[in-house]
Amino acid sequence: MEEKISHQTLLALLAAALLSFTGILTETSMNVTFPELSRLFNVTLDTIQWLTTGYLLMVTVVMATTAYLLKKFRAKSIYIFAACAFFAGDLLCAIAPSFPILLVGRLIQAIATGLSTPLMFHIIFTKIPKSRIGSMTGLAGMVISLAPALGPTYGGVISSITSWRLIFWLILPIVLIGLFLGTRYINIAPFGTDESFDFLSLLFLAGTLTAFVYAVSKAASASLLSLSVLLPILIGFICLILFILTNTHGTNALMDLSIFKQPTTSLSAFTYFSLQFINIGISFVIPVYCQYVLHTSAMIAGLTLLPGSIIGALTSPLAGHIADSHGYALPIIIGLSCLTLGSLIFLITQQWLTALLVVLAFCVLRFGFNMGFSNSISNASMNVPRKNTADVNSFFNMLQQFAGSIGVGIMAAIMAASQNSGAGSFSQRSYNGGHYDYLFVTLLSICALIAAVINFRIQRSKQK
């Protein structure tokens, strides 16, 4: 008999999902407005993309704190703070008179998303019966994957009909509904911890992520061997080493990194990273490619992602149900195979690409993404002790945002590097940048598929 889930838990999940949805929706809703914003604020494409990259970077850093926060504070208090932060940041974006002000508003919004998404998974892992976790994380994955793919469609329609500022005004009612539900129904006591917060580890982690993302962004306009690229990479590695040392050997830890002593957790993390890298990265490339190479309008460029978004929305709950019934290996392997196939379609058929063919290729890719994405974090959480589920939750959610941030950065850098150099028209140079982007995601998807196959072989051998 299927175990029941209380109405209070479902409404609490809805509250967290609404805030996560609005936060993630804005990650990519601005992508189709980048050409317009670039002209409006007189900045280059590789600068304007920090509206997405900086947002994702801030989300990543905030998510790193949630393993501690969920042990220390009531879930309701965390949610209320997040909703209020998002509301304030959204208002600032809506009235922003300049690029720096718009960026500050986006970073404030990012704080909210960095708290709300791990909170959504925290509700699932603490309140949902074990036999239903796959299905519920499938629904959560639907929110996480549907929102960034709907973003370009939403942003494209709004910016084509009226001002891009309405992108921010229209989501305010959703935030208020979420705030009402969260205040009333989220009620999870903290696990409890006597440790103080490890600010030093967080500082080094933030330095690591920022340095790597900055290096990627500079690669668009400078040589890979230039000081402006190599120096931040060096700083990033130094900060990473210092983070591991302080986090592992300090009096307290930002998160328990011992979970990665298990190869299955590390392989699941790589798969999870690759899936989100490709998802967010390709969602950035397609609208830009459609406008610069296929010469479509911003609205059509955004609409090319809509059918795939719908397919993804329908796939996530199905993928979770398959995992509950037949194990995680089946949906994840199928998903990564389809992800690879979708990437190959973009790469092989590029010279014949039309808006319709882009739609079809993206549908295949998004079906694969949604089959594997949520199941990857669920599979990882099942292979660690229950006391470490908060660490898996925090790290994997942090990882998916960093993957999106670095994904947009690398894809934008490749595109911008091709646009800023080489022969031919601007459209031809954009075509070349798109080719390198499609090649990159194809190779990454193949690596992720290989990692997943090895992962489940290890898991099967342990079960025997």
Side-chain angles (χ1 to χ4, degrees):
M1 185 176 178
E2 200 172 60
E3 298 178 78
K4 290 185 177 180
I5 303 171
S6 69
H7 291 296
Q8 179 176 345
T9 298
L10 290 175
L11 290 171
L13 268 176
L14 177 61
L18 286 174
L19 190 55
S20 293
F21 179 83
T22 53
I24 299 171
L25 181 73
T26 61
E27 285 182 11
T28 54
S29 63
M30 298 299 289
N31 286 357
V32 294
T33 69
F34 282 176
E36 178 187 355
L37 293 175
S38 181
R39 293 189 297 269
L40 177 65
F41 295 126
N42 195 28
V43 293
T44 61
L45 179 64
D46 53 314
T47 299
I48 207 75
Q49 61 90 23
W50 276 92
L51 290 174
T52 296
T53 302
Y55 180 96
L56 292 170
L57 187 59
M58 177 63 81
V59 171
T60 306
V61 173
V62 172
M63 281 182 171
T65 69
T66 56
Y68 174 84
L69 294 176
L70 290 170
K71 296 173 185 177
K72 188 73 174 179
F73 301 103
R74 295 182 64 83
K76 181 184 293 186
S77 301
I78 296 174
Y79 183 86
I80 292 173
F81 174 82
C84 292
F86 190 89
F87 190 90
D90 195 71
L91 282 176
L92 191 59
C93 290
I95 63 174
S98 63
F99 174 73
I101 299 299
L102 180 59
L103 181 59
V104 169
R106 299 287 287 135
L107 295 179
I108 295 174
Q109 284 182 308
I111 295 173
T113 307
L115 294 172
S116 63
T117 305
L119 180 59
M120 178 172 60
F121 282 99
H122 181 63
I123 294 171
I124 293 173
F125 293 146
T126 56
K127 293 291 186 180
I128 301 299
K130 190 173 182 179
S131 62
R132 303 284 300 277
I133 284 180
S135 298
M136 296 310 293
T137 52
L139 290 172
M142 179 180 70
V143 172
I144 292 174
S145 59
L146 177 63
L150 280 179
T153 303
Y154 170 69
V157 171
I158 295 299
S159 62
S160 296
I161 296 175
T162 182
S163 169
W164 57 269
R165 297 180 186 276
L166 203 61
I167 291 172
F168 298 103
W169 287 114
L170 290 179
I171 61 177
L172 285 177
I174 301 176
V175 179
L176 293 175
I177 293 171
L179 180 59
F180 169 77
L181 292 174
T183 303
R184 187 166 184 179
Y185 295 108
I186 295 179
N187 187 24
I188 302 175
F191 289 154
T193 178
D194 295 327
E195 295 182 351
S196 58
F197 186 73
D198 190 356
F199 284 101
L200 190 58
S201 290
L202 180 64
L203 178 64
F204 288 134
L205 179 61
T208 300
L209 302 176
T210 304
F212 285 148
V213 172
Y214 180 79
V216 167
S217 70
K218 294 302 290 183
S221 55
S223 168
L224 291 177
L225 298 179
S226 66
L227 190 63
S228 59
V229 175
L230 292 179
L231 183 60
I233 290 177
L234 177 61
I235 293 172
F237 277 112
I238 292 173
C239 288
L240 177 60
I241 293 171
L242 291 173
F243 163 70
I244 294 173
L245 290 174
T246 55
N247 187 82
T248 305
H249 301 292
T251 55
N252 47 14
L254 190 63
M255 62 183 68
D256 188 354
L257 297 180
S258 66
I259 56 175
F260 293 102
K261 291 180 179 179
Q262 299 184 48
T264 55
T265 306
S266 299
L267 290 167
S268 293
F270 175 73
T271 300
Y272 198 67
F273 174 90
S274 302
L275 283 163
Q276 186 70 339
F277 182 107
I278 293 170
N279 175 45
I280 299 295
I282 205 74
S283 294
F284 165 82
V285 170
I286 289 174
V288 173
Y289 186 88
C290 285
Q291 290 179 80
Y292 286 151
V293 180
L294 303 183
H295 307 295
T296 67
S297 66
M299 183 169 69
I300 295 299
L303 286 172
T304 56
L305 302 181
L306 182 59
S309 305
I310 296 173
I311 287 176
L314 297 175
T315 300
S316 285
L318 172 64
H321 178 72
I322 293 173
D324 285 338
S325 304
H326 303 287
Y328 291 102
L330 180 62
I332 290 176
I333 297 299
I334 290 175
L336 287 166
S337 299
C338 291
L339 187 81
T340 303
L341 176 61
S343 302
L344 278 170
I345 293 175
F346 278 110
L347 180 64
I348 295 173
T349 67
Q350 186 184 0
Q351 60 181 314
W352 303 290
L353 274 182
T354 61
L356 180 59
L357 189 53
V358 167
V359 169
L360 295 175
F362 187 66
C363 284
V364 175
L365 188 146
R366 280 308 302 274
F367 171 79
F369 168 80
N370 286 91
M371 284 293 287
F373 183 63
S374 294
N375 284 324
S376 294
I377 186 174
S378 297
N379 181 54
S381 70
M382 293 294 184
N383 284 285
V384 298
R386 184 168 178 79
K387 66 177 183 177
N388 289 124
T389 55
D391 297 292
V392 169
N393 182 10
S394 177
F395 186 87
F396 272 63
N397 277 286
M398 181 190 75
L399 189 66
Q400 58 134 319
Q401 295 302 321
F402 180 65
S405 180
I406 205 77
V408 169
I410 288 177
M411 300 296 234
I414 292 173
M415 178 65 76
S418 295
Q419 290 174 341
N420 297 334
S421 63
S425 64
F426 184 77
S427 177
Q428 179 61 45
R429 297 198 302 271
S430 299
Y431 175 93
N432 295 337
H435 180 76
Y436 294 129
D437 276 334
Y438 298 143
L439 176 62
F440 190 93
V441 297
T442 299
L443 294 175
L444 184 59
S445 62
I446 292 172
C447 291
L449 176 59
I450 293 172
V453 170
I454 295 172
N455 188 357
F456 287 109
R457 283 184 177 177
I458 294 172
Q459 290 186 38
R460 281 196 298 270
S461 66
K462 284 185 176 181
Q463 291 172 355
K464 291 180 180 179

